[in-house]
Amino acid sequence: MVREDGKRNFALRETNGNESSVFSGNTPRQAALKAARRLAEVGSSEESAPRLEIRLREKGTDKVHIYDAWAWEETAPDDKPDWMPSDITEANVSKKGIEHIEEV
């Protein structure tokens, strides 16, 4: 379901079907990147970051977007704004596919 600003809402779905958080974005990948930055397991580098499967259900539809996600800590760039901390969390995702669920 598209909002007035063009963004769509995606609910983070657990394996038991519970939906714990909602992330918004213009695309499913954008929402998946936001979700990936909030992972409990964050690596010290991109290579050492653990890969976790995340499932995002697009609100108002039966589509569940499935991604492998990983996040890692990195030093902020030298030209960072004053409010940004010195260490930041970066993330990446790789799409595995889409499933359709029965109940919405």
Side-chain angles (χ1 to χ4, degrees):
M1 202 170 210
V2 180
R3 301 184 330 199
E4 282 184 23
D5 60 2
K7 294 189 183 214
R8 295 150 49 191
N9 291 321
F10 300 88
L12 183 62
R13 214 170 149 81
E14 297 171 9
T15 53
N16 62 6
N18 288 343
E19 295 179 351
S20 56
S21 304
V22 176
F23 298 93
S24 62
N26 292 325
T27 64
R29 184 175 190 276
Q30 189 177 38
L33 285 167
K34 289 179 183 181
R37 276 189 217 96
R38 290 160 181 80
L39 292 175
E41 297 180 47
V42 177
S44 58
S45 68
E46 184 172 11
E47 295 76 29
S48 69
R51 270 58 171 172
L52 298 173
E53 182 180 275
I54 60 172
R55 295 169 168 265
L56 296 171
R57 182 181 65 84
E58 188 170 350
K59 293 283 204 160
T61 72
D62 66 346
K63 290 183 192 176
V64 178
H65 301 269
I66 305 165
Y67 289 89
D68 275 335
W70 59 98
W72 66 96
E73 291 287 326
E74 200 167 274
T75 304
D78 293 333
D79 61 347
K80 70 178 181 66
D82 292 337
W83 54 263
M84 186 181 283
S86 57
D87 290 328
I88 58 173
T89 303
E90 292 281 344
N92 204 353
V93 294
S94 174
K95 189 147 192 178
K96 293 172 76 174
I98 296 176
E99 285 181 359
H100 296 273
I101 56 174
E102 296 297 318
E103 86 288 345
V104 176

